[in-house]
Amino acid sequence: MNRAALEHILRAAAAIADERDFVVIGSQAVLGQFPHAPDALLVSIEADIYPRQAPAKSDLIDGAIGELSMFHQTFGYYAHGVDETTATLPAGWVDRLVPLANANTSGATGWCLEVHDLALSKLVAGRDKDLDFVRVLVRERMADPALLEERVTRLPDPGGVRDRARSRLSQGLRSTW
């Protein structure tokens, strides 16, 4: 997915949900800060979003422009309607959201996760594809390892979330990052 596709999803979601502000919480949030992100970060064909003021309307988005919808079949990408609990994020993440609004979003704003908050959510998830995503962010100097290490301390810590994220970050920094 590229920036134009994300802008298209925001336009469509605004029309469907009758909302103007959306949080972009998945990997494609990188496009808020880095409109021309490396292809290695743009392999996903879905954008995880929810209406900022009305998260319950995510179901409308999922039904109309979600996976296997006519929208997905037509354009080859889709929106995944999620909510604010989808990702584990560090304290203060809402204050660091990066707005994506321009003529191509037709009045809608995608509030994209700041890249370090996005990277931390990927470290918490810990799937191979998530760790690869963080590796690319660090390798391309889009994310600062020192800031990631500092921000780990702001993660909620049920069940040792911080330790797992810290460990994954340390392992990555010792390897090929």
Side-chain angles (χ1 to χ4, degrees), residues 53-175:
Q53 304 304 319
K57 290 184 178 181
S58 288
D59 289 341
L60 294 172
I61 294 166
D62 226 29
I65 60 173
E67 188 172 20
L68 304 178
S69 66
M70 181 65 77
F71 184 95
H72 179 195
Q73 293 172 12
T74 302
F75 299 107
Y77 51 84
Y78 63 94
H80 181 206
V82 297
D83 64 30
E84 62 276 0
T85 65
T86 299
T88 302
L89 296 163
W93 68 272
V94 171
D95 298 328
R96 293 185 293 271
L97 289 170
V98 177
L100 166 54
N102 57 40
N104 295 328
T105 63
S106 297
T109 300
W111 293 94
C112 301
L113 290 180
E114 185 272 338
V115 72
H116 294 89
D117 294 333
L118 174 59
L120 282 171
S121 75
K122 298 294 185 182
L123 288 170
V124 169
R127 299 168 296 196
D128 287 342
K129 69 178 186 173
D130 297 315
L131 301 178
D132 289 343
F133 189 91
V134 176
R135 283 185 192 96
V136 174
L137 288 175
V138 172
R139 185 181 67 235
E140 297 294 324
R141 292 180 166 67
M142 298 165 71
D144 176 5
L147 184 53
L148 290 172
E149 287 176 354
E150 184 276 322
R151 223 174 263 178
V152 164
T153 64
R154 298 185 196 177
L155 285 168
D157 200 29
V161 166
R162 287 183 197 149
D163 286 342
R164 283 193 304 279
R166 188 177 289 114
S167 174
R168 289 173 183 144
L169 178 59
S170 295
Q171 289 170 1
L173 291 174
R174 284 193 306 268
S175 68

